[in-house]
Every structure is written in C-alpha cells, then in structure tokens.
Amino acid sequence: MQPEQAQISDVELLKAVARRDETALAAIYDRYRVILFGLLVRILNSREEAEDVLQEVFIQVWHRAADFDETRGRPFTWLVTLTRSRGIDRLRSLAARERVAIAGAREPSEEVSDAVTDAVRSEQRQLVTAALDQL
C-alpha cells in the first residue's frame, strides 16, 4: 500500500468515525494503538496510566473526529498530537496530586481530643482561675 493511499484510508476512517461508525473507530484503534501506547508509556513511565490515557484518547477521537481537518495535516499527526496532549495533561495531574499528598504529609496532624482530657483541662482551668481570684 502506498503511503498516500494509507493516508486517504485514514482520512476516510476518521470521516466514518465522525458519522459514528464504530467499525471505523476500531480500525483506527487497531492501526495506531501500539505506537500511541508506546508514546504514552514514554511520557508517563507507567503502563497502567498509559492504558487509561489511551482509552481517553480514543474516546476523544470518537467525540472529535469531525474536528479533524485533512488540509491541516495527516490523521496520524492529529492522533499523535491528541495522545501527547492527553499524556502531558495526565503527567501534570499526577504531579499535582503528588505535591498535595506530600504537603498534606508535612502538615502536623490535628490533635484529637477525648472526653477525659477535656474534663481534666477544664478542672485545671477552674482551679487556676480560683487560685488567681484568691490572690
């Protein structure tokens, strides 16, 4: 198959996906899943995260296939751009979660009071107040 014929085929597949053709989506997925998954693994350093993001990418393809403009580039380039963007978004999200977790671990935990401690402190407070009144 000539590269231009493959490109035309990809364009036609994306047009079919835009018309909600699930078979066309499956064909695009089968054609590019391995290379897009590899890209995501390199970005995220996690097979599990890469699997999740790859699924999100193809959900986005399903919803946005009509946005593809063949005059602006090849389908493969569009798919790589979507994949890279979603991968970087996930990487940022993971980094933000990690920063929040680290910050939370550094904060001193609030002391949990119990009824006995509260009663003893209240009694001590009353004794101190009474002693100060006598002075």
Side-chain angles (χ1 to χ4, degrees):
M1 188 182 289
Q2 301 273 338
E4 292 176 35
Q5 289 175 333
Q7 182 178 342
I8 293 168
S9 178
D10 290 347
V11 169
E12 292 305 316
L13 284 173
L14 282 175
K15 287 179 181 178
V17 171
R19 293 188 305 268
R20 300 296 185 238
D21 183 342
E22 293 177 10
T23 306
L25 180 65
I28 288 283
Y29 177 82
D30 289 341
R31 193 171 289 175
Y32 292 111
R33 68 182 163 80
V34 173
I35 194 163
L36 297 177
F37 180 73
L39 173 63
L40 288 168
V41 169
R42 280 184 298 219
I43 291 170
L44 298 167
N45 292 318
S46 166
R47 293 183 67 81
E48 294 81 15
E49 291 293 335
E51 289 170 358
D52 287 346
V53 174
L54 185 64
Q55 181 178 5
E56 291 173 13
V57 166
F58 280 96
I59 290 170
Q60 187 174 8
V61 168
W62 178 253
H63 291 292
R64 294 189 48 206
D67 294 345
F68 173 72
D69 181 1
E70 63 186 293
T71 62
R72 296 184 67 203
R74 295 179 12 213
F76 175 71
T77 306
W78 184 69
L79 290 168
V80 168
T81 302
L82 288 177
T83 302
R84 182 179 174 276
S85 295
R86 292 298 72 74
I88 291 171
D89 288 349
R90 178 63 62 95
L91 196 59
R92 287 179 181 148
S93 173
L94 291 171
R97 276 190 245 155
E98 186 175 335
R99 283 192 304 271
V100 168
I102 289 171
R106 287 184 185 157
E107 291 180 11
S109 61
E110 292 182 20
E111 188 177 309
V112 178
S113 66
D114 61 277
V116 173
T117 304
D118 289 345
V120 170
R121 285 186 183 156
S122 176
E123 191 174 314
Q124 287 174 341
R125 195 175 309 114
Q126 288 173 353
L127 290 172
V128 170
T129 303
L132 288 172
D133 287 342
Q134 288 179 354
L135 293 172

